[in-house]
């Protein structure tokens, strides 16, 4: 199925947000995730399953002033 | 040792240092970490950006900042609308598990001056959602008062445009702001060198926030130390109470007993 992740199209099999983060080698600790523009709480990564066309924003902290 | 008992209080939290520093524009994380340490800052600003999902080799900034020692202040840099700024703050809270945010809503790319209309809109929403909002604003007492009335925990008027190094361009406005609001006044942006930071503190500001002045210096570590000293010297001079300015001389040595 197709997802839009940080503006890029990604093809993946159905899985939880947590498993998806692992497949893209993204440590779930220092990040925040928006699923279809709503914040997804860290506790919900394992129980939230991705659906066709879902839009994910995955952010973290970078240097800034 | 007056400074030992001096602290900056924001939203019920106490910070020993009145200097806040950014984490951007350093050559590498090691230099950044060293500069932060030498600066003595307790609060460090960070930006919220997309994780690069194609290149996962990048280290996390948080691997280089001890969260037991420093309070993160995520910013909304790059946001030009209240909606984008609010969205960024919600993400920052989830990533950092803290309510502190440096709210900036920019007006244009050339000046990076705030869009105060959108800033006020965003501040209202964020305060309602329980954020501790520290807004970057123009040095306008009226806007600062409005931000305070909305429930912001501090106001952060600019000294000069972000990254310009022009210093405190309107110290009189900063003084009026300090008389207008009760929340801490933190000069954010525009500092170029140590005397700028000292001036802000001598005016009676509660703190100074800077990034480029340190990270962009030829020797960022040395400048971090200079800023540490400048902020403390300025604060101490403010507490000590400077002499009034006079047009003519007043002799320092006694007039009595001069040889004839």
């Amino acid at each position: 199925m197709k997802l839009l992740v940080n503006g890029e199209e990604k093809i993946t099999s159905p899985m939880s947000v947590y498993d998806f983060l692992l497949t893209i080698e993204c440590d779930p600790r220092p990040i925040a995730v928006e699923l279809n523009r709503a914040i997804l709480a860290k506790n919900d990564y394992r129980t939230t399953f991705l659906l066709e066309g879902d839009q994910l924003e995955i952010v973290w902290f970078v240097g800034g002033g | 040792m007056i400074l030992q008992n001096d602290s900056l209080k924001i939203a019920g939290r106490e910070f020993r240092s009145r200097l806040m520093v950014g984490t951007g524009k350093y050559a590498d994380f090691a230099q950044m970490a060293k500069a932060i340490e030498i600066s003595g800052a307790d609060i460090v600003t960070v930006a919220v950006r997309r994780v690069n999902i194609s290149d996962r080799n990048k280290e996390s900034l948080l691997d280089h900042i001890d969260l037991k020692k420093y309070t993160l202040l995520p910013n909304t840099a790059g946001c030009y609308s209240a909606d984008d700024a609010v969205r960024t703050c919600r993400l920052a809270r989830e990533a950092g598990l803290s309510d502190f945010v440096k709210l900036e809503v920019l007006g244009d790319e050339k000046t990076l001056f705030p869009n105060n209309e959108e800033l006020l809109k965003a501040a209202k929403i964020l305060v309602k959602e329980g954020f501790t909002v520290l807004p970057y604003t123009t040095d306008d007492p009226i806007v600062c008062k409005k931000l305070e009335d909305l429930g912001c925990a501090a106001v952060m008027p600019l000294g000069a445009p972000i990254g310009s190094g022009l210093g405190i361009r309107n110290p009189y406005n900063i003084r009026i702001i300090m008389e207008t609001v009760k929340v801490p006044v933190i000069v954010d942006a525009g500092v170029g060198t140590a005397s700028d930071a000292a001036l802000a503190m001598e005016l009676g500001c509660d703190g100074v926030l800077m990034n480029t002045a340190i990270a962009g210096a030829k020797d960022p570590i040395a400048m971090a130390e200079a800023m540490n000293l400048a902020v403390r010297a300025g604060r101490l001079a403010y507490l000590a109470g400077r002499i009034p300015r006079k047009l003519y001389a007043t002799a320092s040595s006694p007039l009595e007993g001069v040889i004839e």
Side-chain angles (χ1 to χ4, degrees):
Chain A
M1 61 181 190
K2 265 189 215 168
L3 303 173
L4 200 63
V5 186
N6 287 359
E8 289 177 35
E9 210 169 81
K10 282 265 169 190
I11 310 285
T12 178
S13 51
M15 61 178 79
S16 70
V17 170
Y18 185 83
D19 289 334
F20 178 72
L21 291 172
L22 293 186
T23 62
I24 59 166
E25 295 174 51
C26 187
D27 181 353
R29 285 168 303 171
I31 62 161
V33 174
E34 235 185 23
L35 177 58
N36 301 325
R37 293 190 71 107
I39 295 282
L40 189 63
K42 280 196 165 72
N43 289 337
D44 296 337
Y45 289 177
R46 285 172 197 272
T47 52
T48 303
F49 287 83
L50 292 165
L51 301 169
E52 171 74 30
D54 272 350
Q55 293 189 20
L56 281 175
E57 283 289 335
I58 306 170
V59 302
W60 64 352
F61 294 128
V62 300
Chain B
M1 291 289 107
I2 291 169
L3 286 185
Q4 274 183 354
N5 302 317
D6 185 52
S7 65
L8 169 62
K9 293 177 191 74
I10 301 173
R13 286 187 59 186
E14 253 183 85
F15 302 96
R16 290 199 48 81
S17 175
R18 291 178 178 274
L19 173 60
M20 305 179 187
V21 296
T23 53
K25 296 186 180 175
Y26 285 99
D28 51 45
F29 283 140
Q31 187 190 53
M32 175 201 77
K34 186 85 184 148
I36 293 173
E37 191 190 344
I38 300 274
S39 78
D42 296 319
I43 298 175
V44 297
T45 60
V46 293
V48 179
R49 290 291 179 268
R50 280 174 166 172
V51 169
N52 184 342
I53 54 168
S54 321
D55 173 16
R56 299 296 315 120
N57 293 323
K58 287 200 171 166
E59 280 182 288
S60 165
L61 172 77
L62 295 189
D63 292 339
H64 300 270
I65 298 171
D66 182 355
L67 295 181
K68 288 189 199 88
K69 206 170 156 195
Y70 300 104
T71 298
L72 285 188
L73 182 60
N75 69 29
T76 59
C79 292
Y80 285 82
S81 70
D83 281 350
D84 283 348
V86 168
R87 193 178 166 202
T88 302
C89 288
R90 289 173 182 153
L91 283 164
R93 175 153 69 181
E94 189 59 29
L97 306 169
S98 154
D99 291 329
F100 271 59
V101 285
K102 170 182 160 176
L103 177 63
E104 52 184 298
V105 188
L106 304 172
D108 76 27
E109 287 173 21
K110 197 170 174 185
T111 63
L112 298 179
F113 277 143
N115 177 335
N116 286 325
E117 198 183 342
E118 291 293 300
L119 179 73
L120 290 164
K121 215 161 98 185
K124 194 174 180 180
I125 297 168
L126 291 167
V127 168
K128 218 174 264 177
E129 292 187 13
F131 285 92
T132 299
V133 182
L134 287 75
Y136 156 73
T137 170
T138 40
D139 56 355
D140 177 341
I142 308 302
V143 173
C144 287
K145 182 74 180 103
K146 285 183 182 176
L147 289 163
E148 178 182 52
D149 289 345
L150 285 175
C152 291
V155 291
M156 305 209 292
L158 54 85
I162 293 172
S164 69
L166 289 172
I168 315 294
R169 298 188 65 192
N170 197 336
Y172 302 103
N173 272 26
I174 301 288
R175 276 177 59 185
I176 295 173
I177 290 168
M178 286 182 306
E179 287 185 15
T180 308
V181 301
K182 292 185 193 72
V183 292
V185 177
I186 295 155
V187 165
D188 176 9
V191 167
T193 188
S195 53
D196 298 332
L199 172 64
M201 297 311 297
E202 285 170 12
L203 288 170
C205 287
D206 297 278
V208 183
L209 196 166
M210 65 183 74
N211 186 351
T212 309
I214 296 176
K218 273 186 194 158
D219 184 342
I221 312 295
M223 189 58 90
E225 185 171 5
M227 293 302 183
N228 182 341
L229 295 169
V231 167
R232 290 195 293 138
R235 176 65 182 171
L236 201 48
Y238 169 72
L239 293 174
R242 61 154 298 151
I243 59 162
R245 289 179 173 87
K246 286 180 291 189
L247 190 56
Y248 291 101
T250 314
S252 308
S253 309
L255 299 174
E256 253 173 59
V258 174
I259 52 164
E260 288 179 25

